[in-house]
């Protein structure tokens, strides 16, 4: 009976998604702010409203019977982080991949087998750094108009724009889906540890509160900086998720997972047979089919965002798939043994395959505006690259970055705050660069103009093209030098240290 119940619950979620998609497609991009408002309202009611405590919420349960053979990683209790009480074991085992997600520790004793999960901290740091670099590149015109709050260098050197287009396309193909995968990996153990109501409360504190802060404070502050620099005036107040789109959608995915678990029979001790690690052929089929072919109609029909989620290569269907695979990875223990030993091809051959996929994507960016079939090839290649590059990152970090020291601990502890704060820092440093450049350069100043159709909130600047590569380099370096220590400082503050 539990399977039929879960199927019915999944069908309800599918109908809701299809209805909202149909309305969004029929009314066009102008409806997307309303879709975003529905997303924010729905997650707020579910995770923040006291009257929405899970009526049928499940008590804590076991993820699988063979947990005794596998390091049991449990969520960090929100009330616990008091510096004077933290043990060396706690420090060693603090993982935070669901920061975009959720802070974790292990309740088991410190052993070498537990340490293998430390590589996820370093993956999270790597992905967060890519996000910062990605948005600096967008600020210098590589992502097109309307993609960032403050853009300069829209007409910069062709070579730099080629570089930027390749960088952002490769990033978009895999880094946010990999975030969803890592986040999903810790969802089953979090739910098993806390039960339905405890799970909801932890998501409220770790995800919903930061997402609301980003939407109502950070993003409006970014638009204020951009408009002050460009026009010398403050814009009207307009809250928007910005980079918190990821967190709101993560809340939806967590909500779906919890309803599916609660729809099942929690007393059923039967275990699923262990699913083998996906083969190369399976990954190719999933990449081409789910992340490629299935994504294509949404790229064509949605044209922009869907409920604040950017619709591009490596999005939407890719995010759904990678979240599902993250759940499967936890359920079947894929990350708890060597990934290289689970591949059906040699790791070096696999790395060469991923490199070839990246080269193919890079080549298509040169001709994507000339032929429609080139765009199709780019989407299909990006779909395969989404799974393979994500796996390659996990494999490399598991094998070579499975450790913790003072530097990696500092970076991992800061990563969630960096993700939330970096828009403010990137916009601020970009604005400072434009101001200083105009003070010292008289022959080719940066001149700002309005981005038509975006209600005067987004700002685009032209001029200063000769020094755009230098500006990108300086803004990238300065943004990282500022945002990582700043984020770490926030993690030391009362109350915020329990959220970040």
């Amino acid at each position: 009976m539990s399977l039929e119940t879960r199927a019915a619950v999944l069908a309800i979620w599918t109908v809701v998604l299809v209805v909202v998609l149909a309305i969004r497609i029929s009314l066009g991009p102008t409806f997307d702010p309303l879709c975003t408002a529905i997303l924010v309202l729905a997650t707020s009611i579910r995770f923040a409203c006291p009257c929405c405590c899970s009526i049928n919420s499940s008590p804590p349960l076991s993820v699988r019977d063979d947990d005794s053979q596998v390091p049991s990683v449990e969520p960090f209790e929100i009330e616990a982080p008091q510096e004077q009480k933290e043990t060396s074991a706690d420090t060693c085992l603090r993982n935070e991949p669901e920061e975009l997600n959720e802070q974790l520790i292990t309740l088991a004793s410190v052993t070498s087998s537990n340490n293998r999960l430390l590589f996820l901290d370093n993956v999270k740091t790597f992905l967060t750094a890519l996000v910062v670099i990605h948005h600096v590149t967008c600020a210098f015109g590589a992502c097109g108009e309307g993609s960032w709050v403050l853009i300069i260098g829209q007409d910069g050197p062709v070579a730099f724009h080629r570089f930027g287009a390749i960088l952002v396309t490769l990033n978009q193909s895999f880094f946010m889906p990999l975030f969803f995968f890592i986040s999903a990996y810790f969802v089953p153990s979090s739910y098993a540890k806390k039960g339905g109501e405890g799970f909801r409360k932890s998501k409220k504190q770790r995800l919903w509160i930061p997402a609301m802060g980003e939407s109502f404070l950070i993003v409006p502050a970014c638009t204020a900086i951009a408009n002050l620099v460009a026009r010398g005036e403050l814009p009207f107040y307009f809250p928007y998720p910005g980079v918190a789109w990821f967190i709101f959608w993560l809340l939806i995915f967590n909500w779906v997972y919890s309803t599916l678990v609660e729809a099942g029979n929690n007393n059923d001790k039967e275990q699923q047979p262990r699913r083998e690690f996906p083969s190369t052929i399976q990954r190719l089929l999933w990449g081409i089919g789910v992340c490629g072919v299935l994504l294509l109609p949404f790229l064509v029909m949605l044209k922009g965002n869907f409920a604040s989620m950017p619709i591009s290569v490596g999005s939407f269907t890719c995010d759904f798939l990678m979240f599902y695979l993250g759940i499967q990875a936890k359920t079947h223990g894929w990350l708890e043994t060597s990934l290289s030993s689970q591949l059906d091809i040699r790791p070096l051959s696999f790395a060469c395959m991923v490199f070839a996929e990246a080269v193919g994507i890079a080549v298509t960016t040169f001709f994507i505006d000339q032929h429609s079939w080139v765009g199709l090839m780019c989407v299909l290649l990006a779909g395969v690259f989404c799974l393979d590059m994500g796996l390659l990152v996990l494999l490399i970090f598991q094998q070579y970055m499975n450790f913790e020291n003072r530097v990696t601990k500092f970076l991992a502890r800061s990563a969630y705050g960096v993700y939330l704060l970096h828009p403010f820092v990137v916009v601020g440093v970009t604005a400072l660069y434009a101001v200083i450049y105009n003070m010292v350069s008289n022959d080719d100043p940066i001149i700002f103009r309005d981005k038509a159709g975006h209600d005067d909130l987004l700002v685009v600047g032209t001029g200063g093209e000769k020094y755009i590569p230098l500006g990108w380099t300086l803004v990238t370096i300065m943004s990282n030098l500022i945002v990582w220590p700043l984020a770490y400082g926030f993690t030391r503050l009362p109350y915020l240290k329990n959220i970040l």
Side-chain angles (χ1 to χ4, degrees), residues 173-241:
S173 298
F174 84 97
F175 68 165
M176 296 314 296
L178 186 52
F179 265 133
F180 277 110
F181 175 91
I182 296 174
S183 302
Y185 181 79
F186 291 95
V187 168
S189 58
S190 177
Y191 192 94
K193 170 70 162 55
K194 298 178 179 179
E197 185 56 22
F199 182 77
R200 183 191 69 84
K201 289 180 178 179
S202 70
K203 299 306 174 185
K204 171 188 174 182
Q205 186 154 0
R206 296 286 294 154
L207 298 178
W208 181 79
I209 291 176
M212 296 298 283
E214 181 76 17
S215 303
F216 287 86
L217 296 177
I218 302 297
V219 172
C222 291
T223 58
I225 292 173
N227 281 266
L228 280 173
V229 170
R231 309 184 183 97
E233 60 184 26
L234 288 172
F236 64 90
Y237 178 76
F238 185 78
Y240 191 75

Side-chain angles (χ1 to χ4, degrees), residues 419-438:
Y419 184 85
L420 295 167
L421 293 172
H422 84 272
F424 180 79
V425 173
V426 169
V427 171
V429 175
T430 304
L432 181 63
Y433 168 79
V435 170
I436 294 177
Y437 175 85
N438 284 342

Side-chain angles (χ1 to χ4, degrees), residues 330-344:
K330 178 61 180 178
T331 303
H332 302 288
W334 292 344
L335 299 188
E336 292 153 2
T337 56
S338 171
L339 288 170
S340 60
S341 68
Q342 298 179 75
L343 289 175
D344 57 354

Side-chain angles (χ1 to χ4, degrees), residues 3 64 66 271-279 282 286 321 323-337 339 342:
L3 289 178
R64 60 175 185 265
D66 63 338
Q271 296 299 315
Q272 304 177 33
R274 186 181 188 278
R275 180 174 295 178
E276 294 299 321
F277 188 80
S279 66
Q282 285 177 312
W286 288 345
L321 175 63
F323 187 87
Y324 168 77
L325 291 177
I327 298 291
Q328 295 302 305
K330 178 61 180 178
T331 303
H332 302 288
W334 292 344
L335 299 188
E336 292 153 2
T337 56
L339 288 170
Q342 298 179 75

Side-chain angles (χ1 to χ4, degrees), residues 289-324:
V290 179
C291 299
V293 175
L294 200 57
L295 178 63
L296 278 170
F298 299 107
L299 289 174
V300 174
M301 292 185 293
L302 291 174
K303 295 180 180 179
N305 298 336
F306 174 54
S308 74
M309 176 192 287
I311 302 301
S312 66
V313 292
S315 70
F316 202 54
T317 56
C318 309
D319 297 332
F320 287 22
L321 175 63
M322 289 295 278
F323 187 87
Y324 168 77

Side-chain angles (χ1 to χ4, degrees), residues 135 138-139 144 146-152 218-227 230-231 235 240 242 423-424 427 430 448-449 451 456-461:
H135 286 142
C138 290
S147 61
W148 193 243
V149 177
L150 176 62
I151 298 175
I152 61 177
I218 302 297
V219 172
C222 291
T223 58
I225 292 173
N227 281 266
R231 309 184 183 97
Y240 191 75
F424 180 79
V427 171
T430 304
F448 293 101
R449 57 186 173 84
K451 172 66 178 76
D456 295 334
L457 289 176
L458 306 184
V459 177
V460 178

